[in-house]
Amino acid sequence: MADPRGFLKVRERELPPNRPVEVRLRDWKDVHAHRQDGQPYLKEQAGRCMDCGIPFCHNGCPLGNLIPEWNDLVWRGQWSDAIDRLHATNNFPEFTGRICPAPCESSCVLGINQPPVTIKNVEVSIIDEAFDRGYVTPQVPQRLTGHTVAVVGSGPAGLAAAQQLTRAGHTVAVYERDDAVGGLLRYGVPDFKLEKVHIDRRLAQMEAEGTRFRPGVEIGRDITWEQLQARYDAIVIATGATVPRELQVPGKELGGVHVAMDFLHQANAVAAGREVPDQITATGKHVVIIGGGDTGSDCLGTALRQGAASVTTLAIGKRPPEERPAHQPWPTDPILFEVSSSHEEGGERDYLASTVEFLPGEDGSVARLRLATTEYLSDGRRVPTPGTEREIPADLVLVAMGFTGPETATLTEQLGVELTARGLVTRSDDFSTTVPGVFVAGDAGRGQSLVVWAIAEGRAAAAAVDTYLSGGTELPSPVTASTVALRP
Ligand SMILES: Cc1cc2nc3c(=O)[nH]c(=O)nc-3n(C[C@H](O)[C@H](O)[C@H](O)COP(=O)(O)OP(=O)(O)OC[C@H]3O[C@@H](n4cnc5c(N)ncnc54)[C@H](O)[C@@H]3O)c2cc1C
Ligand code: SF4
């Protein structure tokens, strides 16, 4: 245990400060000032962990991270041991330590009557310190098995599966249709939440371990799924859930109405120094974002950095409560009113706001948006309340209403994998699909979710692939498909 009286001596959470809004809006760099003051408080914060006997945080974290163990090691200043314990369950703490919503903190036992331990900040501090001290080195396999695996999709699920399988001695190639590897971490999440240097240095480690990357190749088009099946002993589908949910209202075809990912993909590419002809930009425009989740919040931060005249986010539902409600008791992960770093930076948020219609201006592009107050019907449907319509200016509309599932046309035609009623890739408990030797991990089988779940499923799918190829495995399997189906 860290400090036996730590949680009594230090009762408040302390986190590194964010950079001032007026400074960070001028660049694309991380909003958080990680490690810039030597983090004198970190030892105290790690020392608040009670090592409470039944650490509910293990269960709150989809990866089963060994949180009390590394809190203790950080408190003792044993950074090398701390990163070993962290890497034992998580391939990429530099991603989760930055952008995980930290359900572990909602289930921290200290959180019953005090603010929970700053688990996520301790996690990112361990991996940052480990990179700085040179503790993150390639784990090259002792021997090669001679088996080959193709991983399709290079988001966190594909990368986790690839790293585990490479370390088990299999020869692994990761195919990615984008021009750069990383999935939504690369072209969805903006730099101000996750600078791309964090992806690149992990990819360098993976390449040194032997994983091969093939960006710019779309499976199903450049190489068929059947060709891939013939070339490799096993396939992991990690193609994400990339089909955007559409908004079926009049005017949706007008110029200036875009799905959020088109806007974010282009903004991320430009931030990375690429040229994007006819880029969709928010500069000088009245921007309306439809959808109040992570994607909407990332559009907000991006639009503000591009110099939007105004940004309004519309959410169709009610404003969530600020405190944990009685029906979502500890240790559940409650749905609360969130203030992301982008919300701190500006913009308006409107709840119970149902979009009714997009209206054109003189040039034929969208200029205004008609909305109405949402009414909840007794069958649970949400509809615009008649008589409450109003209009707001809207030169750029970004539809950030989530994703319906994976793109599956070539998968089913060429490979014959079965889909669920929701259009997701069907998977057994061990993440195998209905086609022998083909496995699925991450959003493609789970539906739109979180980075931490993608990593957990990538690790579990890798263990199943290893068993399929070698008859057994020593790779850990943090989750099964039926247990993860019970979790949000
Ligand atoms: C804007 C945005 C912000 C988000 N913010 C957060 C956050 O803050 N925290 C969090 O935990 N989660 C966040 N998420 C969710 C998170 O990014 C995803 O849950 C996670 O990336 C899913 O990982 P994945 O590996 O399953 O798929 P993805 O990351 O979607 O990667 C799939 C990859 O497969 C590639 N691909 C698809 N089809 C093919 C093909 N046929 N051939 C080759 N390549 C193919 C795609 O190009 C893509 O790069 C966010 C999502 C979005 C859209
Ligand atoms: S990965 Fe997420 S849930 Fe797990 S310990 Fe880190 S912040 Fe918490």
Side-chain angles (χ1 to χ4, degrees):
M1 180 177 185
D3 182 352
R5 298 180 59 78
F7 68 99
L8 296 172
K9 290 189 289 196
V10 182
R11 299 185 81 88
E12 293 304 322
R13 280 162 69 92
E14 191 175 346
L15 291 165
N18 286 351
R19 295 192 294 133
V21 168
E22 60 280 12
V23 174
R24 68 194 204 223
L25 277 179
R26 285 191 218 132
D27 63 41
W28 295 93
K29 294 195 187 115
D30 194 337
V31 298
H32 301 293
H34 286 300
R35 310 197 62 244
Q36 290 190 348
D37 57 359
Q39 305 200 92
Y41 52 84
L42 191 66
K43 180 181 159 93
E44 275 189 348
Q45 289 295 316
R48 292 182 69 235
C49 178
M50 300 188 293
D51 196 7
C52 49
I54 302 178
F56 281 77
C57 55
H58 278 195
N59 199 41
C61 171
L63 287 159
N65 273 350
L66 306 168
I67 297 161
E69 292 186 32
W70 36 261
N71 277 330
D72 175 54
L73 292 163
V74 167
W75 184 74
R76 291 173 200 282
Q78 296 178 9
W79 293 100
S80 172
D81 293 333
I83 189 59
D84 283 352
R85 298 312 285 145
L86 181 50
H87 270 153
T89 55
N90 187 356
N91 297 67
F92 312 126
E94 64 275 29
F95 306 153
T96 47
R98 287 186 167 78
I99 63 170
C100 184
C104 55
E105 294 185 7
S106 300
S107 61
C108 171
V109 173
L110 190 58
I112 296 175
N113 65 347
Q114 275 193 41
V117 175
T118 56
I119 299 171
K120 177 171 151 179
N121 185 242
V122 175
E123 180 176 20
V124 80
S125 306
I126 295 171
I127 182 63
D128 284 356
E129 192 76 32
F131 268 114
D132 285 356
R133 293 177 180 228
Y135 295 156
V136 185
T137 53
Q139 310 291 306
V140 181
Q142 298 281 319
R143 59 175 189 91
L144 294 178
T145 61
H147 295 302
T148 56
V149 184
V151 174
V152 184
S154 68
L159 292 181
Q163 185 165 59
Q164 293 295 92
L165 287 164
T166 302
R167 289 177 174 179
H170 306 300
T171 302
V172 181
V174 180
Y175 290 90
E176 169 56 57
R177 68 181 172 191
D178 266 329
D179 60 355
V181 170
L184 285 174
L185 300 177
R186 175 76 64 182
Y187 282 129
V189 178
D191 282 46
F192 55 80
K193 269 171 60 182
L194 181 75
E195 289 182 20
K196 305 316 166 203
V197 62
H198 302 298
I199 308 176
D200 294 336
R201 65 182 177 181
R202 187 58 78 171
L203 295 181
Q205 182 206 32
M206 290 180 68
E207 272 183 319
E209 289 170 351
T211 306
R212 297 154 194 207
F213 293 104
R214 304 279 181 267
V217 181
E218 180 167 345
I219 304 303
R221 196 192 63 177
D222 303 319
I223 300 174
T224 66
W225 289 95
E226 288 144 315
Q227 286 169 332
L228 202 71
Q229 201 178 20
R231 284 187 207 173
Y232 290 89
D233 299 323
I235 297 176
V236 179
I237 302 167
T239 48
T242 47
V243 180
R245 184 168 288 116
E246 288 183 12
L247 183 60
Q248 302 296 350
V249 296
K252 68 182 171 57
E253 67 295 333
L254 290 176
V257 179
H258 300 276
V259 290
M261 266 310 295
D262 288 349
F263 172 69
L264 289 174
H265 193 290
Q266 293 186 357
N268 275 322
V270 169
R274 296 184 177 79
E275 286 210 0
V276 175
D278 303 321
Q279 186 194 352
I280 306 161
T281 63
T283 314
K285 295 180 185 159
H286 295 289
V287 180
V288 178
I289 300 164
I290 302 177
D294 269 342
T295 308
S297 156
D298 290 352
C299 287
L300 168 62
T302 304
L304 291 172
R305 279 164 182 73
Q306 290 180 350
S310 72
V311 188
T312 307
T313 302
L314 304 180
I316 193 171
K318 295 175 187 153
R319 188 183 196 269
E322 289 183 24
E323 298 287 329
R324 191 191 271 282
H327 68 280
Q328 297 181 63
W330 179 91
T332 60
D333 189 22
I335 298 168
L336 297 178
F337 179 72
E338 274 184 55
V339 182
S340 72
S341 61
S342 298
H343 296 129
E344 284 170 10
E345 292 164 359
E348 299 291 325
R349 286 203 266 181
D350 198 351
Y351 287 90
L352 288 175
S354 291
T355 303
V356 176
E357 186 178 7
F358 302 126
L359 300 162
E362 280 175 14
D363 67 354
S365 296
V366 68
R368 284 164 297 127
L369 182 147
R370 181 172 295 148
L371 70 156
T373 305
T374 308
E375 181 183 351
Y376 281 76
L377 300 182
S378 53
D379 62 4
R381 276 184 306 131
R382 298 179 292 194
V383 294
T385 314
T388 61
E389 288 86 359
R390 57 205 185 273
E391 289 180 14
I392 56 173
D395 312 315
L396 174 65
V397 175
L398 301 170
V399 181
M401 292 174 34
F403 302 86
T404 56
E407 295 162 48
T408 49
T410 62
L411 255 181
T412 48
E413 280 160 24
Q414 298 172 10
L415 205 55
V417 294
E418 282 178 18
L419 305 179
T420 67
R422 280 180 59 200
L424 306 173
V425 177
T426 302
R427 58 199 191 165
S428 303
D429 223 18
D430 67 349
F431 298 92
S432 55
T433 68
T434 48
V435 177
V438 180
F439 298 77
V440 62
D443 286 5
R446 179 181 173 77
Q448 177 197 2
S449 183
L450 295 172
V451 169
V452 65
W453 280 111
I455 300 173
E457 291 200 3
R459 288 169 68 82
V465 172
D466 194 29
T467 305
Y468 171 78
L469 295 174
S470 315
T473 188
E474 290 182 7
L475 294 178
S477 184
V479 288
T480 63
S482 52
T483 52
V484 300
L486 302 173
R487 303 275 300 273

